Amino acid sequence: MPRSGPLPAALSLLLVTAALLPGPAAAQNEPRINASEDVVIHLYGPAVTLQCNLTTSPSPLSASYWVKNGEEIPGTRKSSNTTEYKILKPRAEESGEYLCVFVFSNSPIANATIEVRATPDITGHKRSENKNEGQEALMYCKSVGFPHPEWVWRKKVNGVFEDINNSSGRFFISNKDNYTELSITNLQINEDPGEYQCNATNQVGSVSVTTILRVRSHLAPLWPFLGILAEIVILVVIIVVYEKRKRPDEVPDDDEPAGPMKTNSTNNHKDKNLRQRNTN
Ligand SMILES: *[C@@H]1O[C@H](CO)[C@@H](O)[C@H](O)[C@H]1NC(C)=O
Ligand SMILES: *[C@@H]1O[C@H](CO)[C@@H](O)[C@H](O)[C@H]1NC(C)=O
Ligand SMILES: *[C@@H]1O[C@H](CO)[C@@H](O)[C@H](O)[C@H]1NC(C)=O
Ligand SMILES: *[C@@H]1O[C@H](CO)[C@@H](O)[C@H](O)[C@H]1NC(C)=O
Ligand SMILES: *[C@@H]1O[C@H](CO)[C@@H](O)[C@H](O)[C@H]1NC(C)=O
Ligand SMILES: *[C@@H]1O[C@H](CO)[C@@H](O)[C@H](O)[C@H]1NC(C)=O
Ligand SMILES: *[C@@H]1O[C@H](CO)[C@@H](O)[C@H](O)[C@H]1NC(C)=O
Ligand SMILES: *[C@@H]1O[C@H](CO)[C@@H](O)[C@H](O)[C@H]1NC(C)=O
């Protein structure tokens, strides 16, 4: 087989280049779209209208429609060479990458991109996170708004939010486009409780929300039990003291009759204690 030399390769490259260069006829038939400028929308701001005008059509137009963040917007299909999309109530979730698309009967589709930008809005987070020491805390924030934000987590120290001090190596941050997660492992009761802030910033603006982290002692689940134990101890002490004071008089008839009375009195104490605990 004859090996292909450098000449045929250069020739084919030349041919490809020639084919890509628009001839006088191709230039005329290249689709052209006159589209609105990129725009910034503001919450409660005026309605915004996106427009695309097809000024040069390569072949008869069969349809046009709008796409937002890669998905066709339902109800926007029509067959006119001018098309509009109205954003009546500007909100962060209306921001994104919009495309108008023109479909032709005999040539490839054409489209134009209009970026609609807005300050991020945080649409999901925890108000508080309650954990025991030694456990792991997990906080997150979810946003809408284009462009996707840069995320920063801070912690309130002496009334001021400061960047997280990771000297203990227990803080882990994971960011997706519109989602961020902060996890703190092996929670410390002395260092970790407090207010944490997630801050979303893009070229238009920034927003932040806070989550309160509470860390309980791992003895916390034992507290009710310790309470009962303390009551029993106090009860026993009272009984012993009571018995010791009574003893001198009761030495002669410390037999059957005294027994029921004693248990009655202890039962009364117990009932009283129980009632008091229930009303607390
Ligand atoms: C595109 O629109 C702008 C104003 O919106 C206008 O000045 C310009 O002439 C238009 N271009 C074409 C090719 O129609
Ligand atoms: C599109 O055409 C309409 C008139 O048909 C004109 O008012 C509008 O400004 C044009 N838009 C752009 C983006 O060129
Ligand atoms: C767009 O459509 C109008 C009315 O249908 C027509 O008059 C105009 O020539 C069209 N323009 C282009 C560029 O196809
Ligand atoms: C927009 O046009 C580009 C080529 O210019 C094409 O690759 C892309 O798939 C088109 N997108 C849509 C949604 O039609
Ligand atoms: C946010 O991210 C999720 C998944 O990562 C995606 O489904 C959703 O469409 C995104 N939302 C925006 C507004 O980008
Ligand atoms: C981080 O915390 C450690 C110990 O808690 C402290 O020694 C250090 O100065 C702190 N670093 C910063 C930057 O605040
Ligand atoms: C904190 O330190 C640990 C251990 O060095 C590291 O794996 C982690 O990525 C750090 N977290 C942050 C938010 O920098
Ligand atoms: C978010 O962080 C940025 C950059 O540090 C700061 O400029 C901005 O004021 C913060 N925004 C809020 C709402 O806290």
Side-chain angles (χ1 to χ4, degrees), residues 99 101 109 111:
L99 266 78
V101 181
I109 62 162
N111 61 47

Side-chain angles (χ1 to χ4, degrees), residues 162 165-167 191:
E162 291 180 355
N165 181 344
N166 191 27
S167 64
E191 302 168 24

Side-chain angles (χ1 to χ4, degrees), residues 3 49 55 61 70 91 180 200 235 243 263:
R3 80 184 241 283
T49 304
T55 57
L61 180 71
R91 283 176 299 170
T180 181
L235 216 66
E243 288 295 297
T263 48

Side-chain angles (χ1 to χ4, degrees), residues 32-37 51 53 55-56:
R32 277 175 196 276
I33 301 168
N34 205 351
S36 310
E37 300 282 316
Q51 290 180 329
N53 293 344
T55 57
T56 310

Side-chain angles (χ1 to χ4, degrees), residues 108-136:
I109 62 162
N111 61 47
T113 302
I114 305 170
E115 287 192 354
V116 176
R117 306 189 183 103
T119 298
D121 183 21
I122 293 175
T123 54
H125 80 289
K126 288 179 183 173
R127 285 176 192 284
S128 66
E129 169 84 333
N130 302 310
K131 290 283 171 181
N132 290 342
E133 59 183 320
Q135 289 185 321
E136 179 175 345

